[in-house]
């Protein structure tokens, strides 16, 4: 138990959370492999640690987590750890308000776990999400280990009951199913009753509190009674088969004992025969080994004899060859002695001549040696003087190098001082430049603000001037139009006064075209605009026209009507 507590504490610390004291106390007690954490509020970190612990735990067989206020994430972590567990037989998740994610996690658990036999899911909300509950039902269909399933108060509708019915058709291990206090209804009840003939293992089905009609309930009870009878008969058959298997086992044991006795006697006889055969084989082996040794000795002696004979023949042949070689060598030695005597005489003569030459060369070499010794003495004196000069030069070099080093150190110090001064001057100049830049930026910002204000004032004045100008133009246009009208009136009066004087020109008349409307006008007539005329050759301008009107002379019957008045 202490190992469980240490493992739980280690997993919590790895996850960065503190272990819960209630969980530690329950892990310390752990009666008969039962971990009871009912009514304990488990956090997500605790659920993660327990899930990792349950993956490899082999002591827990019952896990009670009722009314633990598990979140969706915590429940998923716990059930994920139980997927790899092969020891837990009972799992109680009552009153944890499991929803869609919980239903999907339970579906994965039922698909992967092969050891949980009792599953309690009372007071949850698994049936409220139809898709998630459908995945749970699909996992239940392929599960082969679950024996008891409690789904009371889970808001299971008729669609959820239909999914359970499909799962029960394929399931071959579930024996007890509790669906009390749900919303199964008539359709769900009929679906469950219709699936019961296909299921051979379910013998207890609770459907109270589901708004199911009494005839459907009675049909379910009859089916359960039939399955219970079948279960009882199956249990009796199992008991009989168990007793028969025991009797068969006893007979097999007796037969096996008799067979073992016979096999022991046969083994003893075989052992005795094997011993005798081993002894005879050992004797035969010893005799065979002695015979083989003798054969090997004889073969070795024969081989040695053959080798000795071959060596003797080779030695005789070598002796003959050596005798022949000895005679030939003696003859060659005599010839060589004569030749060497002649050569010795010649060499003595040549040696005498060489000796005389060498004496002469030696005397000349002695004289050269004396000269060279004198030269060597002079050269040694020169070398000594040069060594002294070199020593003095080295001393001067060391002195000058020391002075140069001192000067270099002084120059470096001066350079450092100059660098510091230059850095200080650069920093001062940089500060001044920054101050000037700040001052200039401020001045530019202020000038920009002033210019913007001035531009705004100028824009306002421009708008006011444009308004005044437009008003003045409108007034000028009005006055101009009035003056033109007065001028036209005056000109028309002058023409009316001049008309009696121009009686000679009865076939033509002066017409006036006003630019404002584009019409030809004559007092008492309505004429068409010149642009609509067929020909303009007989239209002749008259000089001295006004600025606002043009007068033309028209022939008789030129224009009879005008579209504008």
């Amino acid at each position: 138990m202490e190992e469980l507590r240490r493992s739980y504490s280690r997993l919590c610390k790895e996850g960065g959370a503190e272990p819960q004291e209630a969980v530690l106390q329950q892990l310390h007690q752990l009666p008969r492999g039962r971990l009871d954490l009912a009514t304990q509020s488990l956090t997500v970190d605790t659920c993660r640690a327990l899930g990792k612990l349950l993956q490899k735990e082999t002591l827990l067989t019952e896990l009670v987590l009722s009314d633990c206020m598990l979140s969706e994430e915590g429940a998923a972590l716990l059930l994920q750890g139980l997927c790899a567990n092969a020891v837990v037989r009972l799992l109680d998740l009552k009153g944890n308000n499991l929803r869609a994610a919980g239903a999907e996690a339970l579906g994965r658990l039922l698909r992967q776990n092969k050891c949980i036999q009792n599953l309690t899911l009372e007071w949850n909300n698994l049936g409220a999400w139809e898709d998630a509950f459908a995945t749970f039902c699909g996992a239940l269909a392929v599960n082969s280990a679950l024996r008891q399933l409690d789904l009371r108060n889970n808001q299971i509708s008729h669609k959820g009951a239909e999914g359970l019915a499909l799962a029960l058709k394929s399931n071959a291990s579930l024996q007890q199913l509790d669906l009390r206090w749900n919303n199964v209804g008539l359709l769900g009840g009929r679906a469950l009753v219709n699936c019961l003939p296909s299921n051979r293992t379910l013998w207890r089905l609770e459907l109270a509190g589901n708004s199911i009609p009494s005839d459907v309930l009675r049909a379910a009870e009859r089916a359960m009674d039939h399955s219970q009878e079948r279960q009882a008969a199956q249990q009796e058959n199992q008991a009989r088969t168990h007793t028969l298997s025991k009797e068969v086992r006893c007979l097999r044991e007796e037969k096996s004992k008799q067979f073992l006795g016979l096999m022991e006697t046969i083994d003893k006889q075989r052992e005795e025969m094997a011993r005798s055969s081993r002894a005879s084989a050992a004797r035969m082996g010893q005799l065979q080994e002695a015979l083989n040794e003798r054969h090997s000795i004889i073969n070795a002696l024969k081989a040695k004899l053959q080798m000795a004979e071959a060596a003797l023949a080779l030695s005789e042949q070598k002796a003959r060859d050596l005798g022949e070689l000895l005679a030939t060598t003696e003859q060659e030695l005599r010839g060589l002695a004569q030749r060497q005597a002649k050569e010795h005489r010649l060499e003595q003569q040549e040696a005498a001549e060489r000796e005389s030459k060498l004496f002469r060369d030696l005397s000349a070499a002695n004289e050269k040696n004396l000269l060279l010794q004198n030269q060597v003495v002079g050269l040694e004196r020169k070398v000594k003087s040069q060594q002294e000069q070199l020593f003095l030069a080295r001393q001067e070099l060391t002195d000058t190098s020391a002075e140069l080093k001192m000067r270099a150190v002084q120059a470096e110090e001066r350079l450092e001082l100059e660098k510091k001064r230059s850095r200080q001057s650069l920093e001062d100049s940089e500060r001044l430049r920054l101050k000037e830049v700040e001052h200039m930026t401020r001045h530019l910002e202020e000038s920009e603000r002033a210019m913007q204000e001035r531009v705004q004032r100028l824009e306002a004045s421009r708008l006011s001037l444009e308004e005044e100008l437009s008003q003045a133009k409108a007034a000028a246009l009005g006055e101009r139009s009035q003056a033109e009208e007065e001028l036209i009136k005056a000109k028309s009066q002058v023409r009316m006064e001049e008309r009696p004087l121009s009686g000679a020109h009865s076939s033509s008349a002066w017409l006036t075209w006003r630019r404002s409307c584009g019409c030809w006008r004559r007092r008492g007539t309505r004429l068409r605009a010149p642009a609509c005329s067929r020909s303009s050759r007989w239209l002749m301008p008259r000089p001295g026209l006004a600025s606002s009107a043009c007068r033309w002379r028209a022939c008789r019957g030129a224009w009879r009507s005008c579209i504008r008045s």
Side-chain angles (χ1 to χ4, degrees):
M1 308 308 170
E2 288 296 328
E3 185 178 357
L4 282 176
R5 293 184 65 187
R6 286 196 296 271
S7 299
Y8 168 68
S9 301
R10 178 176 56 79
L11 291 171
C12 287
K13 289 178 181 178
E14 288 178 359
E18 292 294 329
Q20 291 184 251
E21 291 295 332
V23 178
L24 290 172
Q25 291 177 1
Q26 293 296 327
L27 288 172
H28 179 67
Q29 298 173 3
L30 206 65
R32 296 180 182 178
R34 178 184 176 88
L35 179 59
D36 191 355
L37 297 175
T39 67
Q40 300 293 335
S41 179
L42 301 180
T43 62
V44 175
D45 296 326
T46 301
C47 293
R48 184 182 289 107
L50 287 174
K52 292 180 180 178
L53 183 65
L54 290 170
Q55 289 180 357
K56 301 178 181 179
E57 183 55 42
T58 58
L59 298 175
L60 297 175
T61 58
E62 296 182 3
L63 182 60
V64 179
L65 299 172
S66 58
D67 301 319
C68 287
M69 300 174 66
L70 294 177
S71 62
E72 294 286 333
E73 185 180 358
L77 292 170
L78 271 171
L79 296 173
Q80 183 179 358
L82 284 171
C83 289
N85 189 281
V87 180
V88 176
R89 298 287 184 271
L90 184 142
L91 178 60
D92 189 355
L93 293 172
K94 174 184 175 183
N96 281 294
N97 196 22
L98 297 179
R99 300 184 180 180
E104 293 175 355
L106 285 168
R108 288 192 294 271
L109 175 67
L110 292 178
R111 286 183 183 276
Q112 299 178 16
N113 190 282
K114 305 297 180 184
C115 63
I116 294 177
Q117 298 180 358
N118 191 341
L119 181 59
T120 302
L121 299 172
E122 183 182 359
W123 287 106
N124 286 291
N125 292 321
L126 300 177
W129 285 267
E130 295 177 357
D131 295 336
F133 192 70
T135 58
F136 172 79
C137 294
L140 180 63
V142 299
N143 185 274
S144 61
L146 194 63
R147 300 288 183 271
Q148 297 181 13
L149 179 60
D150 189 353
L151 291 173
R152 288 177 290 176
N153 294 290
N154 268 281
Q155 299 183 11
I156 298 174
S157 62
H158 65 281
K159 291 186 178 179
E162 290 174 357
L164 282 173
L166 291 174
L168 290 174
K169 287 181 180 180
S170 302
N171 187 280
S173 62
L174 190 64
Q175 297 178 358
Q176 300 181 29
L177 178 61
D178 196 345
L179 292 173
R180 288 179 290 178
W181 310 110
N182 284 294
N183 300 321
V184 173
L186 174 61
L187 297 176
R190 286 180 179 176
L192 290 170
V193 170
N194 292 330
C195 80
L196 292 176
S198 301
N199 189 288
R200 297 292 180 181
T201 57
L202 189 68
W203 56 270
R204 181 171 174 267
L205 178 63
E206 298 291 340
L207 294 173
N210 279 288
S211 302
I212 300 174
S214 58
D215 56 345
V216 178
L217 290 175
R218 285 195 296 271
E221 289 176 357
R222 286 195 297 271
M224 288 298 100
D225 293 337
H226 181 65
S227 62
Q228 287 176 3
E229 291 175 358
R230 186 172 62 250
Q231 189 72 18
Q234 189 176 0
Q235 289 177 357
E236 289 178 1
N237 291 329
Q238 288 178 357
R240 290 176 183 176
T241 53
H242 186 63
T243 53
L244 290 172
S245 63
K246 282 184 179 180
E247 292 177 358
V248 170
R249 206 177 294 116
C250 293
L251 292 172
R252 284 180 179 175
E253 289 176 357
E254 291 178 359
K255 294 291 184 182
S256 62
K257 287 178 181 179
Q258 293 176 3
F259 182 72
L260 289 173
L262 291 172
M263 291 299 293
E264 287 177 358
T265 55
I266 292 169
D267 291 336
K268 288 178 181 178
Q269 292 176 0
R270 285 180 179 175
E271 286 176 359
E272 291 176 358
M273 291 173 67
R275 286 172 188 171
S276 61
S277 63
R278 282 196 295 271
S280 61
R283 289 175 186 174
M284 289 292 292
Q286 292 174 0
L287 293 171
Q288 187 69 31
E289 287 177 357
L291 183 61
N292 291 331
E293 287 177 359
R294 290 178 182 178
H295 281 298
S296 61
I297 292 167
I298 291 166
N299 292 328
L301 291 172
K302 286 180 179 179
K304 287 179 180 179
L305 181 59
Q306 291 175 358
M307 290 172 68
E309 291 176 352
L312 182 60
L314 289 171
S315 62
E316 290 176 355
Q317 185 67 31
K318 286 180 180 178
R320 293 192 195 98
D321 295 336
L322 288 172
E324 293 175 356
L325 288 171
L326 184 60
T328 55
T329 51
E330 285 178 354
Q331 292 177 359
E332 290 177 356
L333 285 172
R334 292 190 193 98
L336 286 171
Q338 293 175 359
R339 291 174 187 171
Q340 286 178 358
K342 291 179 181 179
E343 290 176 357
H344 184 63
R345 290 171 194 161
L346 294 171
E347 286 177 358
Q348 283 179 354
Q349 292 176 0
E350 291 176 356
E353 292 176 357
R354 288 174 184 172
E355 189 175 357
S356 62
K357 287 181 181 180
L358 288 171
F359 276 119
R360 289 193 297 270
D361 294 337
L362 183 61
S363 61
N366 288 327
E367 292 176 357
K368 288 181 181 179
N369 193 8
L370 290 171
L371 293 172
L372 290 171
Q373 284 178 358
N374 295 325
Q375 291 177 2
V376 166
V377 171
L379 290 172
E380 285 179 354
R381 289 173 184 171
K382 289 180 181 180
V383 166
K384 286 180 181 179
S385 63
Q386 288 178 359
Q387 285 180 353
E388 290 175 357
Q389 292 176 2
L390 182 62
F391 180 71
L392 294 172
R394 284 180 180 174
Q395 286 182 350
E396 290 177 358
L397 182 62
T398 52
D399 295 336
T400 54
S401 62
E403 289 178 1
L404 288 172
K405 286 181 181 178
M406 291 293 292
R407 290 177 183 177
V409 170
Q410 293 175 359
E412 287 179 355
E413 291 177 354
R414 290 175 186 173
L415 183 62
E416 289 293 331
L417 291 172
E418 291 294 331
K419 285 182 179 179
K420 289 180 181 178
R421 289 175 185 173
S422 62
R423 286 175 187 169
Q424 188 67 29
S425 63
L426 286 172
E427 289 177 357
D428 295 338
S429 62
E430 186 68 21
R431 291 195 194 102
L432 290 172
R433 189 181 65 80
L434 291 173
K435 288 180 181 179
E436 289 177 358
V437 168
E438 289 178 358
H439 180 69
M440 290 296 292
T441 51
R442 289 174 186 171
H443 181 67
L444 287 172
E445 288 176 356
E446 290 175 358
S447 62
E448 187 176 358
R449 291 195 199 98
M451 290 297 291
Q452 287 180 355
E453 291 176 357
R454 187 176 178 183
V455 167
Q456 290 176 358
R457 288 195 298 271
L458 290 172
E459 187 69 21
S461 63
R462 184 182 66 80
L463 292 173
S464 61
L465 289 172
E466 285 181 354
E467 289 179 357
E468 291 176 359
L469 181 62
S470 61
Q471 291 175 1
K473 283 181 179 180
L477 287 173
E479 292 175 356
R480 183 177 179 181
S481 61
Q482 289 177 2
E484 286 178 354
E485 288 179 357
E486 290 177 357
L487 181 62
I488 290 166
K489 288 179 181 179
K491 286 182 178 180
S492 62
Q493 289 177 1
V494 169
R495 288 193 198 98
M496 290 296 295
E497 290 174 356
E498 291 177 353
R499 185 175 296 172
L501 300 175
S502 59
H505 303 282
S506 60
S507 60
S508 62
W510 289 99
L511 304 178
T512 302
W513 175 54
R514 294 184 63 184
R515 293 180 183 176
S516 60
C517 65
C519 297
W520 292 87
R521 289 188 178 182
R522 194 174 67 178
R523 189 181 299 274
T525 60
R526 295 171 62 85
L527 303 177
R528 195 166 48 180
C532 300
S533 64
R534 296 179 182 178
S535 176
S536 61
R537 286 179 297 177
W538 33 269
L539 295 176
M540 298 178 66
R542 184 176 179 182
L545 299 177
S547 61
S548 61
C550 292
R551 293 193 298 171
W552 301 82
R553 183 182 295 274
C555 61
R556 189 177 296 173
W559 296 293
R560 297 180 181 178
S561 62
C562 181
I563 58 174
R564 298 180 184 178
S565 60

